[in-house]
Amino acid sequence: PILTMSNIGKPWNEDNVLVSVGASAVLTEELRRRGIKFKDLYVAPPSQAVIVSCDPPMHGYQNTLASAIWSCKYGLMRPYIFIVGEDVDVTDAEDVYWCLTTRLDPARGIHVQTDTVMSGFWPWVDPEDRKIRKGSKVYFDATFPFEWGPDYRPQIVDFTSAWPRETQDLVLERWAEYGFTDDPRGKPKKSRSE
């Protein structure tokens, strides 16, 4: 049979990707127009979460950022916000997960908002709350505290940040000899035909 539509559910269907692209662009533009400071923003499929990177310019800025996102048309119905440092690629799930598991303080970094507007499509909402469209939202602050100066903040230790360029080049010259085909700097390695 020829199916003219997608079956909504798991895994994501194509409109989740389209909404992700559109909502990311519109939300980014709206926040920039308002003067909200951040580096990158991504509404990840299936479009329930906003991942935003920033280095907070002052104490408590993360709350301002989350509130600004939720006050926008395309942020209002996003129950999850993940705030990560500017050194994190918001479109890379592995990078975001690494940040959440190495920088998020469970006692101070999880901020639940109760008694908020909700989408009737959220499956976890209690039947009584669904009748009055009462929900909750959360933002996860996986940034280092503003009060921590650069001397106190932990440094990333990986191939590109822990080794001088000369050492990286020496290793990469023999990379294939070691049996690897990927580039440890995260760049796809070109094939010999390219």
Side-chain angles (χ1 to χ4, degrees):
I2 297 173
L3 302 176
T4 59
M5 57 165 255
S6 297
N7 184 27
I8 295 177
K10 181 183 174 185
W12 314 319
N13 54 334
E14 71 272 2
D15 84 307
N16 292 139
V17 175
L18 297 173
V19 168
S20 170
V21 172
S24 296
V26 171
L27 199 49
T28 295
E29 180 62 28
E30 174 65 17
L31 293 172
R32 295 220 191 280
R33 187 182 62 73
R34 292 184 187 183
I36 303 297
K37 305 264 188 248
F38 63 98
K39 181 180 177 190
D40 289 317
L41 181 144
Y42 179 55
V43 178
S47 307
Q48 295 295 319
V50 177
I51 305 164
V52 60
S53 63
C54 83
D55 282 336
M58 64 190 79
H59 178 81
Y61 184 76
Q62 301 87 322
N63 188 53
T64 299
L65 180 57
S67 297
I69 291 169
W70 283 325
S71 72
C72 294
K73 178 180 179 180
Y74 284 92
L76 181 65
M77 294 300 176
R78 311 282 175 235
Y80 306 105
I81 296 175
F82 299 92
I83 303 174
V84 297
E86 287 186 356
D87 58 339
V88 175
D89 178 353
V90 297
T91 63
D92 182 344
E94 187 176 321
D95 208 19
V96 171
Y97 182 72
W98 167 82
C99 180
L100 292 172
T101 58
T102 60
R103 297 182 180 174
L104 177 67
D105 179 339
R108 293 183 291 178
I110 301 173
H111 305 270
V112 177
Q113 308 265 322
T114 59
D115 212 15
T116 69
V117 65
M118 58 78 77
S119 166
F121 295 115
W122 294 349
W124 61 84
V125 178
D126 176 275
E128 291 303 310
D129 289 343
R130 187 177 304 280
K131 289 178 186 174
I132 59 172
R133 296 180 56 95
K134 175 182 166 187
S136 58
K137 298 176 182 176
V138 62
Y139 81 86
F140 299 87
D141 176 10
T143 62
F144 291 124
F146 172 76
E147 296 78 12
W148 291 8
D151 293 338
Y152 186 76
R153 291 180 187 194
Q155 297 301 306
I156 296 174
V157 177
D158 64 6
F159 185 74
T160 56
S161 62
W163 302 99
R165 185 69 180 178
E166 299 78 31
T167 304
Q168 293 177 40
D169 291 341
L170 288 172
V171 171
L172 289 176
E173 285 174 16
R174 298 181 66 188
W175 200 242
E177 185 182 326
Y178 301 144
F180 299 109
T181 57
D182 63 327
D183 187 323
R185 293 176 292 201
K187 300 174 190 168
K189 190 173 181 181
K190 292 183 179 180
S191 68
R192 293 178 192 223
S193 62
E194 290 182 69

